[in-house]
Amino acid sequence: MKNFLINLLSFILVISSIFGINLIINQYYFIYKPYIIEKNIETVIMGGSLTMYSLNPEIIKNSINISQEAEIYEVTYFKLKYLLANNKKINNIILNFSPVNFSDYKIMKGRKKNLPVNTIFYNLIPIFTVLNDFNPDKKDYFHNYIKHNFFNKEITYAILTGNKYYPFIGEFKPVKESFINKKNWLEFVLSEVYYSQEKKENDILYLSLYYLFKIIDLCKENNINLLLINTPQKNEIIPVKFKIFYKKVTNYLIENKQITEGSKVNINKFFFSGVILDYSNDNLPDEYYLDHVHLNNKGANYLSQKIQKFLQEYLK
């Protein structure tokens, strides 16, 4: 019995040590060795999958794309704070801004034991903020919290390879395929974006609006130009209430947040605090789309060139 207890305590000590070392390494990478972008980077592309698939940093000069799948504005806000703490030379933030940003499908998934699985979510957002804003299944949340903080293969990979690029920050994902005409694909896209699995229309996510305002204010505090981008998509699939809400938000931003419509930007004005660039009505060929709401590589090249042209003309 005595030997059993000694072995059990030894096992617990070893496991605790492994977890403890991983936690220290995690915190070291996030706090003491934060993400530093290259010195020539002036423009940072942020947001969810719309910008992740649609904006190529190789075409948009001096830019980096750190967008992530299903990234909500709350995550973007804390990620931007984390980025600005150690990168003071950022001049422009490009952020996706479309009706899908206000669909609560991501929050609804969080209540169904399907919280975000990216490392950023479990490292940058304070625990009590998550519990308050998401109201998640606590067992599920803390299971993922432990997974991402005590044993994280992405951070381990970065350490072992000496890689300056941390894959958990975000990236640009070029894809060649187009599934827009694939049978049943539209139904799949809608169920992922605007409708629940029971085919019930999602509610408006007002939490996103709150954090969008915080992002705007954070950019102003740091004298950063904010470009809100509505990427090309098949607008006919967007439910009416999301179109109406998006328009209301757009009008509010213009009237109260000093955000300018792209078509009304003064070419002689060398600095602006924010602008909305709406390309959602660009009638692109089907071959430019990955699906009804995302662009593929052809579409990304098209949109990235338009953004680069805008930056050249208005941010001389």
Side-chain angles (χ1 to χ4, degrees), residues 74 78 121-122 124-136 138 141-142 145 207 211:
E74 181 172 21
F78 283 99
F121 182 83
Y122 296 97
L124 296 185
I125 303 181
I127 292 177
F128 289 108
T129 300
V130 173
L131 295 178
N132 181 64
D133 290 349
F134 287 80
N135 188 27
K138 293 179 176 60
Y141 171 71
F142 285 109
Y145 182 84
L207 179 68
Y211 278 99

Side-chain angles (χ1 to χ4, degrees), residues 49-56 59 172-181 231-233 284-304:
S49 57
L50 269 69
T51 44
M52 183 182 74
Y53 289 113
S54 301
L55 296 178
N56 187 343
I59 296 176
F172 166 64
K173 281 190 176 181
V175 290
K176 295 180 180 179
E177 295 85 2
S178 177
F179 301 124
I180 197 165
N181 293 316
T231 59
Q233 52 200 283
L284 303 182
D286 285 353
E287 64 188 43
Y288 280 55
Y289 293 91
L290 170 62
D291 54 44
H292 294 75
V293 295
H294 301 99
L295 299 179
N296 61 16
N297 207 29
K298 283 186 177 180
N301 289 341
Y302 162 84
L303 183 60
S304 299

Side-chain angles (χ1 to χ4, degrees), residues 212-229:
L212 174 61
F213 292 164
K214 290 177 73 70
I215 292 170
I216 292 171
D217 292 339
L218 186 59
C219 288
K220 288 182 178 180
E221 291 169 10
N222 289 274
N223 295 319
I224 294 173
N225 298 317
L226 177 62
L227 287 76
L228 298 175
I229 308 294

Side-chain angles (χ1 to χ4, degrees), residues 94-279:
I94 297 177
L95 178 67
N96 70 254
F97 173 67
S98 77
V100 70
N101 289 107
F102 303 102
S103 172
D104 76 346
Y105 78 99
K106 303 175 184 96
I107 299 296
M108 291 301 292
K109 286 184 176 181
R111 292 173 183 160
K112 295 177 180 177
K113 292 193 174 184
N114 192 16
L115 284 163
V117 294
N118 54 64
T119 300
I120 289 290
F121 182 83
Y122 296 97
N123 281 272
L124 296 185
I125 303 181
I127 292 177
F128 289 108
T129 300
V130 173
L131 295 178
N132 181 64
D133 290 349
F134 287 80
N135 188 27
D137 178 278
K138 293 179 176 60
K139 181 180 178 181
D140 182 50
Y141 171 71
F142 285 109
H143 167 78
N144 282 293
Y145 182 84
I146 290 172
K147 175 182 175 182
H148 285 273
N149 278 281
F150 290 92
F151 189 73
N152 191 300
K153 62 182 180 181
E154 293 175 332
I155 293 181
T156 303
Y157 172 80
I159 294 170
L160 294 176
T161 60
N163 194 348
K164 294 182 179 180
Y165 166 70
Y166 304 163
F168 48 80
I169 294 292
E171 61 185 331
F172 166 64
K173 281 190 176 181
V175 290
K176 295 180 180 179
E177 295 85 2
S178 177
F179 301 124
I180 197 165
N181 293 316
K182 187 175 180 180
K183 188 177 181 180
N184 299 327
W185 196 259
L186 175 57
E187 184 176 346
F188 168 75
V189 171
L190 289 175
S191 67
E192 285 289 300
V193 177
Y194 291 112
Y195 294 88
S196 66
Q197 293 179 344
E198 296 77 23
K199 297 185 178 181
K200 180 181 178 183
E201 196 172 279
N202 291 337
D203 293 326
I204 298 293
L205 178 57
Y206 292 96
L207 179 68
S208 279
L209 187 61
Y210 171 74
Y211 278 99
L212 174 61
F213 292 164
K214 290 177 73 70
I215 292 170
I216 292 171
D217 292 339
L218 186 59
C219 288
K220 288 182 178 180
E221 291 169 10
N222 289 274
N223 295 319
I224 294 173
N225 298 317
L226 177 62
L227 287 76
L228 298 175
I229 308 294
N230 192 6
T231 59
Q233 52 200 283
K234 298 296 185 180
N235 284 327
E236 64 269 17
I237 75 165
I238 302 174
V240 173
K241 76 174 181 183
F242 287 99
K243 290 181 179 180
I244 294 174
F245 186 77
Y246 174 80
K247 184 61 177 177
K248 287 181 178 179
V249 173
T250 300
N251 291 338
Y252 180 86
L253 293 178
I254 293 170
E255 294 171 6
N256 298 280
K257 289 289 185 179
Q258 298 179 329
I259 304 295
T260 308
E261 286 184 279
S263 60
K264 297 180 181 178
V265 173
N266 186 345
I267 197 168
N268 296 315
K269 190 175 182 180
F270 293 97
F271 177 85
F272 56 81
S273 60
V275 64
I276 297 172
L277 300 175
D278 192 341
Y279 301 108

